Amino acid sequence: MSLDTTRDDLTVHLERAFLVSVALPHRPWISNDPLDELRGLATTAGAIVVGELRQRRDKINPHSYIGKGKLRELQERVQAVNADVIIFDNDLSPGQIRNIEKATQLKVLDRSELILDIFATRARTAEARLQVELAQLEYALPRLRLMWSHLGRTGGGIGTRGPGETQLEEDRRLVDQRIRDLKARLAEVQARKEREVRSRREEHTVSLVGYTNAGKSTLMNALTGAGVHVEDKLFSTLDTRTRQWRLKDWDRVLLSDTVGFIRDLPHHLIASFKATLEEARQARLLLHVVDASNPYAEEQIKSVNAVLNTLGCSNKPTLLVLNKADRVSDPSYLHVLQRHHPHSVFVSAAQRKGLEELQEAVIEMLRADFADAEIETSAGNGRVLSYLAAHADIYLQEFHGNRVSIRCHLPRHLLHHIQGSDVRVRFLR
């Protein structure tokens, strides 16, 4: 039974969801409340949680993921609470989904499909819709043969939304063709995005990354006055936004806000959102925003680092920004976080506290990318001289005949612009 209440940002009636989580040796529970995050995801997707089931197993049951006894218990409990949908905090095979649906006579979703569905409801721009659709189709394609009944759901609700649903009702050939078309269109988007990011190579670029709902958009608003939409929900930001950030006693930087990460983020989404994440891949500095008030902040940091590693950003200069410090009731917890992460700053973006300390830390890290150099070239080399005048801090200039020696402070990443047979560069320290 679905409620008659609808919400502006959702496309279906609220559903009654029953949650299931299975702990395995390679995927243990990381908290005393293993369903806390799934509960948040289900609520974000527009469900009302009416029941929960947990099980520890040494290995999964190939037929139904959970054991036979737990499957019978699940049948009884979902009937007792009149559930509409069963959501697993694990990734299930198509056969397992089909068997659980047959046993319970209810729709079954796994973690990846739930996250994909949330992304479908959050996609606002044409680019985001393309990315989500591709991820949905690539997730569904290997499941088509065993999931026609699963994909033929006509009742609506979580797992049946988004731009991919009409294609999933077609045969494999049409889905294959649609995937090829989407990849071609996204390749154009990616190429355009790469050109756009490359055009900013001479700028100081900083990118906000972090776990979903860590407060990245709130921090961006506090730093730049960008007016970015802020919502206390998971994945409220799917599209990258870039704004100017004026640093005190420093030049401007371009600050970008990116999509939030999450534990076990479906790899199809990471691949599809490559263009969106290009800002983070090319940034000079990453600000890894963490919800310091979350008791599982350390696990969230590890999850974000795993995604950054997938993107090839593991060695990029990164400053940890411990946000929402005002919400931490026990100061000793903050001290533990800082001991574990000495190169970090505490802020409260909502209260606009700690922002000056953040600016100072950012300036210090950006300065580490600068070099003091002596550059010698011919006095008639207008290209190099004008470039240094525009991009370097020149503190000494001497002429020796037809040669000029310039001592300056400039970003290391700009040195390649002044290379040539007529130019000699000597680092001073």
Side-chain angles (χ1 to χ4, degrees), residues 268-339:
H268 294 306
L269 270 178
I270 298 175
S272 297
F273 274 72
K274 185 179 178 182
T276 299
L277 296 169
E278 187 67 20
E279 297 282 357
R281 284 163 35 86
Q282 300 297 333
R284 303 281 173 212
L285 173 66
L286 299 181
L287 298 185
H288 180 169
V289 184
V290 179
D291 178 359
S293 68
N294 192 301
Y296 311 111
E298 288 287 1
E299 294 299 329
Q300 294 185 351
I301 291 171
K302 292 177 183 177
S303 295
V304 171
N305 287 339
V307 178
L308 290 175
N309 185 59
T310 301
L311 295 173
C313 298
S314 56
N315 295 322
K316 190 173 290 293
T318 303
L319 175 65
L320 204 67
V321 182
L322 299 169
N323 190 28
K324 306 185 186 181
D326 57 306
R327 297 188 185 181
V328 179
S329 56
D330 184 0
S332 64
Y333 178 67
L334 292 178
H335 296 151
V336 170
L337 275 176
Q338 198 159 44
R339 279 201 304 270

Side-chain angles (χ1 to χ4, degrees), residues 395-411:
Y395 54 86
L396 180 63
Q397 182 171 287
E398 297 177 331
F399 288 89
H400 306 282
N402 65 346
R403 304 286 293 177
V404 59
S405 174
I406 299 172
R407 292 194 175 191
C408 62
H409 192 60
L410 81 166

Side-chain angles (χ1 to χ4, degrees), residues 222-239:
L223 296 175
T224 68
V228 173
H229 174 69
V230 175
E231 197 173 4
D232 188 19
K233 290 181 180 177
L234 303 178
F235 303 117
S236 60
T237 301
L238 291 191
D239 302 293

Side-chain angles (χ1 to χ4, degrees), residues 223-224 243-255 359 363:
L223 296 175
T224 68
R243 300 290 187 272
Q244 290 189 25
W245 178 21
R246 296 285 179 179
L247 297 179
K248 183 180 179 181
D249 301 326
W250 183 262
D251 199 358
R252 72 168 190 175
V253 302
L254 295 181
L255 183 66
Q359 285 198 33
I363 291 173

